[in-house]
Structure formats: structure tokens, C-alpha cells
Amino acid sequence: MADDVLIVGGGPAGMMAGLLLARAGVAVKVIEKHADFFRDFRGDTVHPSTMEILDQLGMLDRFLKRPHDELDTARIRVAGREYVIGDLSHLDTPAPFIAMMPQWDFLDFLRDEAAAFPSFKLVMEEPVAGFIEAGGRVAGIRYESGREEQAGRLVIAADGRSSLVRRLDLLAVETIGAPMDVFWFRLPRSGDPGDALRGSIETGRMVVLIDRRTYWQCAFLIPKGSGEEIKARGVDWIASEVRKAFPDLDFSGEGGLTSSADLHLLEVALDRLVCWHRPGLLAIGDAAHAMSPIGGIGINLAIQDAVATANILAGPLAAREGVDHLLHKVQDRRLFPTRIIQAGQKAAQEAVIGRVLGGAPITRAAWPVRMLDRYPMLRRIPGRLIGLGVRRERVRSSLARPP
Ligand SMILES: Cc1cc2nc3c(=O)[nH]c(=O)nc-3n(C[C@H](O)[C@H](O)[C@H](O)COP(=O)(O)OP(=O)(O)OC[C@H]3O[C@@H](n4cnc5c(N)ncnc54)[C@H](O)[C@@H]3O)c2cc1C
């Protein structure tokens, strides 16, 4: 069977779009440049909005059988004191918590579910180098390996923040900007499990820890562009800063941060494409709008884009109709939530992260944080925003039932 839709990138956006289109009977091929999904530098949060979608697809029970931790409260430590700032437990949704699952496990799950559909194909370790054009529209892809070009009725760019559509200047980018980058590394973990996600803010220092059961995955925020300068201070200095941020935790054990080769610098970007499509080509997920890690919502926004894409395009694609005239509808649908979330991330970057990393003295939490900690009812508001987001998608009933 020829592939109708070629999806570049097997991240959350690409895998979910591939799964949904294949469920609708569309011949789809997802092309991923890495050999597996086992990469460290991905977030671990699966939010209630994504689990709602899994529920609509009848996949939630199977998803929750995979190893994960459940988090229904958001906490932050500011200047040595812990504050509760979000409560998801009251959400009216099938899974009112954040499932902490390494992203490679989540992607393995989507791959296993998609494999049940004969029109789904996944090609690993095959970087895409560019697009082919015919008759004024994108008509397929070129592989980096020199393998034969492949034609498709629609190409979906789901290849993340350094997407080909950006590198090849096919679609213009509007930069919003971020004041920080992140060093991403592991530290050993001992002791009893506690909260699966922890954050600490103090003068000049911001750290987030994810409990991956056998080690801590650490995100150490640094001022944008200062990677080399911070690296020169040495890995022992960085590890000691994390220990100071979480004096109650036990970091003893083997492995972790031993040399600068163990440090991965993740450049944080906040931007979006002015136009997400051109004839024959649609960008979704981080390729269309690079998200800051704030709130841990990028994965979930990528999944919502995939659902909107399938809701709008699967029917006509399955009926072998042209879809170029429909591509703008995906952007029309998803631009509003993207704008709102990016505006929230920008505000948090300016009000908190830029100030903290700029060395502003942090003696106690800002008043909104203190209010949330004091009045439990108020915590439901950030809980709802983080958990369910803005304008959440619902899988069309025709897609929820496989053919
Ligand atoms: C430090 C950091 C921490 C984060 N933490 C979280 C978090 O905890 N929770 C959260 O929700 N979000 C988090 N985010 C944001 C989140 O990672 C992204 O928003 C999300 O991964 C976007 O999904 P995507 O599928 O659009 O793109 P990606 O996840 O970037 O996937 C793109 C895929 O395309 C592949 N690819 C790229 N180029 C090619 C090519 N030429 N050919 C073939 N394949 C290609 C890549 O290998 C990759 O698999 C974080 C971001 C950062 C920077």
C-alpha cells in the first residue's frame, strides 16, 4: 500500500497523529531519525488531558498498567520552604493526576498500540533530509541516507523545535524568547520514594528533580548562553548546588554526574510559526510552536495538535480527497491554546526565572504562591490549567472507534 501521509518525527505529536490516522484507515508512515525512543532529554509528564484522549480511544487501562507514578498535587520549595500550589485531585476527568512516565515508555506504548493497525508503519533510524516539491506543493520527502525519495499526499512535520521546516526556511518563525537554558543530568538516588517531581527556587538557583526510581533526573536552570561558563565551574560544583537545593534528599550511590560528558545542555526556546502549513505540508507540535519546559505541558500540547489534525483531516484523507484547503483549520483550532500557554510561560519566565537567575534576592515566595498555599480551594485553578489546559480536544467519535 502506498503511504498517503508521511510524518517526519516520532515524538509525541508524530506518534499520536500516526496512530489516529491509521485508526481511520489512512496509510501513514512515521519516520524517526533515532534508532529507539530511549533518549534522556525528554519530559516525563502525561497530563489528565492526554489521558482523557487515551480513555476516549479505549487505551487508558492499558496505559496505566505500565510503570508510572501519580501526582495530584504540585509543590514548589521557595527559599527553603515548601508550598503547595496546585491540586488536580478534583478534576472531573478519568485520570485526575499527572502520570510520571519516562517519555520513551510513553512512546513505546503509542508504538505498540499503533502496531495493531495494518495501515501504520514506523521507520526508525532514518533521518529525513528535506522535501520534494511538485506542481507548487510539497509532494514527499528525501531521506538523508540517499534512499529513494518518497511521495506522499500530505507531509506532516512533527520533528520538534529544530524542524526541517525551520532549517530550510519553508515556514517563518516568530521568536518569543526564553531567558534560560537547562543542564540535564542524573544524580544517584537512595532512600524511600517521595514526590515524583520536585522544584526548588532560591537566590540565583533553580532546580527541578524527576524521580526515575533508580536515579534523579535533574534539570538545572542556567542563564541563557552561559553553558560554557557554568560547565567551567565543574560538575562537583553543579552537584553540590543540587544537594544544597534539596538538603532532605539522599543522593548517595554510584554513577551520576562524574564528568562534563554527563551534562546535556538543552537550549530552551519559546516561539511559533507564523503560518503552520503550505500546500502539501503541515507542522504540528514543537515544530509549529517550541514550548518552554514551564508547567511541563509541551508533550500534552503536541498530543492535542495531533488529535485536532486527525479530527480535521482523517475523514477526507480516508476518502482520498484533497486536504490542502483544510490545513489552515488545524492552525485556526490550535493557535488560541498555543498563544495562551506561551503567554503564561513567557510571564513566568519574566516574573520568576529571569529574576531568580539574574540574582534577585529570594527571601520568600511571591504573594500568589503564598495565597495558593494558604487557600486549598484556590489551588484547583492552577490544577485545572496544568491538568486540562485550554480548549482541550476530544477525539471525534468516528475516530474513537477503529474501522
Ligand atoms: C528541558 C526540557 C524539559 C521539558 N520537560 C517537559 C515535561 O516534563 N513535560 C512536557 O509536557 N513537556 C516538556 N518539555 C517540552 C516537550 O519536550 C516538547 O514540547 C514535546 O516533546 C514536543 O513534542 P513533539 O512531538 O512536537 O517534538 P519532539 O518531542 O521534539 O519530537 C520530535 C521527534 O522528531 C525526530 N526528528 C527530528 N528531526 C528529524 C528528521 N530530520 N528526520 C526524522 N526524525 C526527526 C526527533 O528525533 C524526535 O523524536 C520540555 C522541554 C525541555 C527543553
Side-chain angles (χ1 to χ4, degrees):
M1 183 165 20
D3 301 305
D4 285 332
V5 178
L6 303 171
I7 300 182
V8 185
M15 290 302 287
M16 183 54 103
L19 164 72
L20 290 170
L21 291 174
R23 276 178 81 107
V26 177
V28 54
K29 183 188 273 181
V30 179
I31 305 134
E32 165 58 43
K33 69 177 175 183
H34 287 101
D36 53 37
F37 297 125
F38 193 75
R39 263 148 301 136
D40 231 358
F41 43 89
R42 296 186 184 270
D44 287 25
T45 55
V46 179
H47 285 220
S49 56
T50 293
M51 288 186 281
E52 253 182 21
I53 289 177
L54 299 181
D55 185 52
Q56 289 156 20
L57 294 169
M59 290 160 40
L60 183 61
D61 291 346
R62 293 193 291 278
F63 170 77
L64 290 175
K65 284 202 179 103
R66 304 225 169 182
H68 67 280
D69 287 309
E70 295 179 5
L71 204 73
D72 63 9
T73 19
R75 298 170 203 271
I76 184 92
R77 182 196 285 260
V78 183
R81 209 204 121 181
E82 185 124 317
Y83 297 84
V84 182
I85 54 170
D87 177 6
L88 288 84
S89 63
H90 298 274
L91 295 178
D92 181 18
T93 182
F97 50 83
I98 292 173
M100 299 293 301
M101 178 185 286
Q103 198 182 126
W104 55 81
D105 284 342
F106 179 48
L107 294 175
D108 278 348
F109 170 75
L110 293 180
R111 180 201 54 205
D112 294 348
E113 291 288 330
F117 301 99
S119 64
F120 178 84
K121 281 190 212 149
L122 171 64
V123 182
M124 301 295 287
E125 215 174 351
E126 191 71 80
V128 174
F131 305 102
I132 50 175
E133 300 207 22
R137 60 189 299 280
V138 171
I141 55 164
R142 274 186 303 107
Y143 292 104
E144 207 173 275
S145 60
R147 193 176 146 174
E148 204 180 322
E149 292 174 346
Q150 179 159 12
R153 288 170 56 214
L154 174 68
V155 177
I156 298 182
D159 47 347
R161 61 193 51 216
S162 47
S163 169
L164 283 171
V165 302
R166 294 155 175 251
R167 283 188 277 140
L168 300 175
D169 269 341
L170 285 179
L171 296 169
V173 182
E174 183 186 342
T175 301
I176 302 165
M180 76 286 201
D181 290 325
V182 174
F183 270 129
W184 193 246
F185 51 90
R186 298 173 177 193
L187 282 179
R189 173 194 172 294
S190 299
D192 295 333
D195 284 346
L197 184 68
R198 296 162 188 254
S200 164
I201 299 179
E202 276 165 290
T203 305
R205 183 172 64 216
M206 269 191 90
V207 189
V208 177
L209 295 185
I210 298 171
D211 185 353
R212 287 202 178 142
R213 291 161 190 259
T214 51
Y215 61 90
W216 292 109
Q217 180 64 55
C218 308
F220 187 77
L221 279 72
I222 59 171
K224 184 152 258 334
S226 68
E228 287 308 313
E229 182 198 327
I230 306 279
K231 219 183 223 179
R233 296 183 195 174
V235 290
D236 290 343
W237 179 82
I238 295 176
S240 76
E241 286 295 296
V242 178
R243 288 194 185 92
K244 278 191 233 160
F246 300 97
D248 54 320
L249 295 184
D250 184 352
F251 292 97
S252 61
E254 291 292 307
L257 194 52
T258 54
S259 80
S260 60
D262 300 323
L263 282 176
H264 302 281
L265 180 65
L266 303 183
E267 291 183 18
V268 177
L270 188 62
D271 64 35
R272 60 181 171 258
L273 300 180
V274 178
C275 178
W276 300 11
H277 54 91
R278 52 188 283 172
L281 176 70
L282 171 70
I284 59 171
D286 266 25
H289 44 73
M291 304 305 290
S292 161
I294 295 171
I297 23 196
I299 297 168
N300 301 280
L301 206 62
I303 295 282
Q304 302 275 318
D305 283 6
V307 174
T309 300
N311 281 345
I312 293 165
L313 303 181
L317 282 168
R320 303 204 59 76
E321 293 165 8
V323 293
D324 284 355
H325 64 293
L326 297 174
L327 300 182
H328 75 93
K329 289 195 172 188
V330 178
Q331 176 172 359
D332 294 349
R333 172 90 197 153
R334 299 302 308 154
L335 185 58
F336 173 69
T338 303
R339 272 203 177 125
I340 299 278
I341 293 167
Q342 288 188 326
Q345 291 188 324
K346 182 173 161 54
Q349 284 178 175
E350 284 170 2
V352 184
I353 298 177
R355 285 189 61 231
V356 172
L357 297 181
I362 307 295
T363 49
R364 63 173 184 162
W367 68 265
V369 172
R370 298 199 307 271
M371 294 281 284
L372 291 169
D373 186 62
R374 191 158 175 186
Y375 300 107
M377 286 294 284
L378 285 183
R379 295 176 205 155
R380 297 184 186 190
I381 301 169
R384 190 175 172 83
L385 281 174
I386 292 171
L388 297 177
V390 184
R391 186 183 275 172
R392 62 196 201 269
E393 301 296 334
R394 188 178 168 80
V395 180
R396 280 232 166 113
S397 53
S398 55
L399 281 175
R401 287 187 309 274

